[in-house]
Amino acid sequence: MGEAKKSLTGESFVFGDDVQKRELLEAAFDYRGDVTLELASGEKLEGYLFNRQLDRTPYFVEMFVAGEATPRCIPVDQIIALHFSGKDAADGKSYEAWKSKKLKERQEESKKIESEMKRAGLLD
Amino acid sequence: MVPLSQIWTVASYVLSKKIKGEKRYPLVLMLEPLFRCNLACAGCGKIQYPDHILNRRLTPEQCWAAADECGAPIVSIAGGEPLVHKEIDRIVAGLIERKKYIYLCTNAILLRKRIDLFKPSKYLTFSIHLDGLKEEHDESVCREGVYETAVEGIKEAVKRGFRVTINSTLFDGANPQRVRTFFDEVMSLGIEGIMVSPGYSYQKAPDQEHFLQRNKTRELFQQILREKKKSWKFNLSPLFLEFLQGNVEYDCTPWGNPTYNVFGWQKPCYLLQDGYAKSFKELIETTPWEKYGFRSGNPKCANCMVHSGYEATAVNDTFGSWKGFVKTVKAALS
């Protein structure tokens, strides 16, 4: 379905205006990796941005900061910069890429996932 | 056969909602207690998250609260792979206490090892993910040998007296004759019935090119279901199968299968992610439902014919009028 979008991984943005800010926060919501938000207070928060309210007040984003149990709700007006700091988990895993791999490579990849899960105690 | 008690529960639930004049009510809660899975299927967009998100789990208490809050008579436990959740037995037991009909969706890799955690109940069904015969399924889940493992799990569950169904997603290129053979093969395992649905593009799924378009879906299901065999039992509304063949036209009922997961109540549905609500009430009241579904013109919904959106429409049609009920009986007998 069309050409693959360029990954935002590693990109950083200081917002020029509110329109750009909204677009970039929307992209961060769509991104399947961690992002880092720089706040006006100087604080930097890295985590997964899983929700946003950008179409009506109060404007906010919600983020699961790695290592914290409960999500943080961050007012949009406190965010001054955004960095796509984590790896996009949906990037580079196309079906065609999977198909083009040789069977042996696919089996190796599958075994790798299996052994990682076992090490993490998520599989018997 | 689906137990009569389940049919009665759903029928009386829908009728009571209609009598009360409730416009939007849930039929099936899609409960995702985790996103972690022991497979990485090309057609799945549910598992692409950073590790710290994949490691999060809903507690049993959160799962029960979600079921209580939304009130749907059926709970489909999906994910991720629910059998990876260390408290899945407690989650299931608590839902059975609440008299919820549970479809525990699993790839069955762990089923034989974990089956002792569960007791057969009319409330519990193992819904085993199988996307076709061995060749098709192993390709779909990107791992060799999974079909055989799943079949072993099915046999064990059937032997122990559990309710077992197959949940099958068909992708572009599916061979109708192979699908018919697959239906024969799974029914011979002694399962209760088959759930089948065309796949649809999760926005984040690696495979974006093999999801079925609407006209192709109709052609495929017409070919598969032509001269439907008596031995095939479907765990679906007869009218949904008519819809898949293009014999009736429906629009989506996205609130029919609300999704609850580690992020909250997903807007608007199981397949699309447009944000989250903190409560079921907030989900129902703040989601702009008119912007979703085939007739809305939303391009994200243009080709979707998935059971999670349209099964509720079919059920509403069945119980919405005598005409709908008669249509269902006719479809069931055809």
Side-chain angles (χ1 to χ4, degrees):
Chain A
M1 265 187 217
E3 57 193 77
K5 276 197 287 187
K6 186 178 169 287
S7 172
L8 287 161
T9 305
E11 301 274 352
S12 294
F13 301 90
V14 176
F15 307 121
D17 56 37
D18 284 349
V19 174
Q20 189 202 24
K21 187 187 224 181
R22 206 162 40 239
E23 284 172 359
L24 284 165
L25 289 174
E26 190 66 35
F29 164 73
D30 195 43
Y31 188 68
R32 288 288 179 98
D34 282 344
V35 298
T36 301
L37 300 179
E38 194 177 327
L39 307 184
S41 64
E43 192 180 9
K44 285 184 181 175
L45 292 174
E46 182 167 25
Y48 188 76
L49 194 155
F50 71 94
N51 198 18
R52 82 295 186 223
Q53 183 167 292
L54 304 170
D55 56 350
R56 64 182 193 280
T57 54
Y59 302 119
F60 63 83
V61 298
E62 286 187 282
M63 176 186 257
F64 270 116
V65 176
E68 293 185 8
T70 50
R72 291 206 196 188
C73 185
I74 304 146
V76 164
D77 61 8
Q78 289 183 21
I79 306 167
I80 58 168
L82 166 65
H83 178 43
F84 291 83
S85 48
K87 186 171 174 274
D88 184 353
D91 185 42
K93 290 185 180 170
S94 74
Y95 184 72
E96 288 311 318
W98 180 83
K99 291 276 278 185
S100 68
K101 283 179 192 164
K102 291 176 185 148
L103 179 63
K104 192 165 165 268
E105 288 173 339
R106 277 190 255 158
Q107 285 169 337
E108 281 169 3
E109 193 174 305
S110 175
K111 279 181 187 154
K112 190 171 148 251
I113 293 170
E114 201 171 352
S115 62
E116 280 173 5
M117 309 254 348
K118 282 180 179 165
R119 265 202 309 278
L122 296 164
L123 262 182
D124 293 340
Chain B
M1 278 291 288
V2 177
L4 278 175
S5 63
Q6 181 176 330
I7 296 170
W8 173 250
T9 299
V10 172
S12 53
Y13 170 82
V14 172
L15 289 171
S16 75
K17 295 290 183 187
K18 286 191 179 293
I19 288 165
K20 285 178 196 162
E22 286 184 39
K23 195 176 164 199
R24 295 190 177 114
Y25 51 86
L27 202 61
V28 180
L29 166 62
M30 309 292 278
L31 183 63
E32 299 174 326
L34 79 173
F35 290 123
R36 178 73 76 179
C37 189
N38 45 11
L39 287 174
C41 307
C44 177
K46 287 282 180 183
I47 58 167
Q48 287 79 13
Y49 292 104
D51 260 357
H52 67 96
I53 298 296
L54 293 177
N55 290 338
R56 287 183 187 270
R57 306 284 183 266
L58 289 179
T59 64
E61 289 75 14
Q62 287 174 306
C63 294
W64 303 331
D68 291 341
E69 192 185 348
C70 102
I74 298 174
V75 179
S76 177
I77 307 178
E81 167 53 48
L83 292 182
V84 166
H85 196 298
K86 290 189 186 307
E87 293 184 283
I88 189 63
D89 51 336
R90 281 194 64 216
I91 293 171
V92 166
L95 293 172
I96 288 175
E97 267 177 39
R98 286 162 173 78
K99 298 190 186 320
K100 299 294 181 188
Y101 285 91
I102 304 155
Y103 285 84
L104 180 54
C105 304
T106 173
N107 57 39
I109 291 177
L110 289 172
L111 186 55
R112 289 191 75 190
K113 285 181 182 167
R114 300 279 164 94
I115 200 162
D116 288 332
L117 295 173
F118 307 98
K119 286 182 188 152
S121 161
K122 69 175 181 181
Y123 291 109
L124 175 61
T125 304
F126 288 114
S127 177
I128 315 288
H129 170 211
L130 275 184
D131 285 349
L133 294 163
K134 177 179 164 38
E135 193 180 299
E136 287 85 352
H137 183 63
D138 285 354
E139 166 128 356
S140 173
V141 302
C142 309
R143 192 182 295 178
E144 300 291 323
V146 174
Y147 181 85
E148 280 152 357
T149 307
V151 166
E152 289 305 310
I154 291 168
K155 285 178 180 169
E156 187 64 27
V158 169
K159 192 173 85 183
R160 292 183 184 221
F162 285 98
R163 295 179 61 193
V164 181
T165 59
I166 296 301
N167 191 357
S168 191
T169 306
L170 301 182
F171 295 91
D172 198 6
N175 177 321
Q177 192 49 51
R178 295 270 298 168
V179 176
R180 291 174 67 91
T181 307
F182 168 66
F183 286 175
D184 288 338
E185 188 157 320
V186 290
M187 288 311 304
S188 74
L189 296 172
I191 62 163
E192 180 179 295
I194 298 163
M195 283 189 241
V196 62
S197 178
Y200 194 60
S201 54
Y202 288 100
Q203 283 169 285
K204 297 297 179 184
D207 181 1
Q208 291 289 316
E209 293 180 5
H210 292 75
F211 292 105
L212 282 159
Q213 306 293 300
R214 229 173 158 82
N215 56 342
K216 276 190 165 181
T217 298
R218 292 191 185 113
E219 281 171 30
L220 176 65
F221 278 91
Q222 282 166 10
Q223 288 171 336
I224 292 169
L225 298 172
R226 187 174 294 149
E227 293 168 23
K228 199 165 57 184
K229 293 188 183 176
K230 293 281 179 213
S231 57
W232 298 346
K233 305 290 180 209
F234 292 96
N235 216 286
L236 293 165
S237 157
L239 291 183
F240 176 66
L241 291 177
E242 293 297 305
F243 164 70
L244 290 179
Q245 295 169 85
N247 298 333
V248 288
E249 197 54 70
Y250 284 140
D251 200 4
C252 178
T253 304
W255 55 85
N257 285 25
T259 299
Y260 184 74
N261 58 36
V262 296
F263 298 137
W265 293 94
Q266 184 172 314
K267 294 181 183 182
C269 72
Y270 183 63
L271 294 161
L272 291 185
Q273 230 170 332
D274 264 355
Y276 287 85
K278 289 193 170 32
S279 68
F280 179 71
K281 188 170 182 285
E282 185 192 326
L283 172 82
I284 290 293
E285 289 177 357
T286 66
T287 305
W289 298 108
E290 70 284 357
K291 290 185 180 170
Y292 301 102
F294 177 66
R295 286 179 193 145
S296 73
N298 186 334
K300 289 177 185 171
C301 304
N303 282 299
C304 180
M305 296 177 81
V306 176
H307 63 86
S308 60
Y310 289 88
E311 176 77 350
T313 314
V315 170
N316 277 330
D317 191 15
T318 298
F319 297 112
S321 64
W322 280 110
K323 197 176 155 196
F325 188 73
V326 170
K327 257 195 305 187
T328 305
V329 172
K330 276 187 186 167
L333 295 174
S334 68

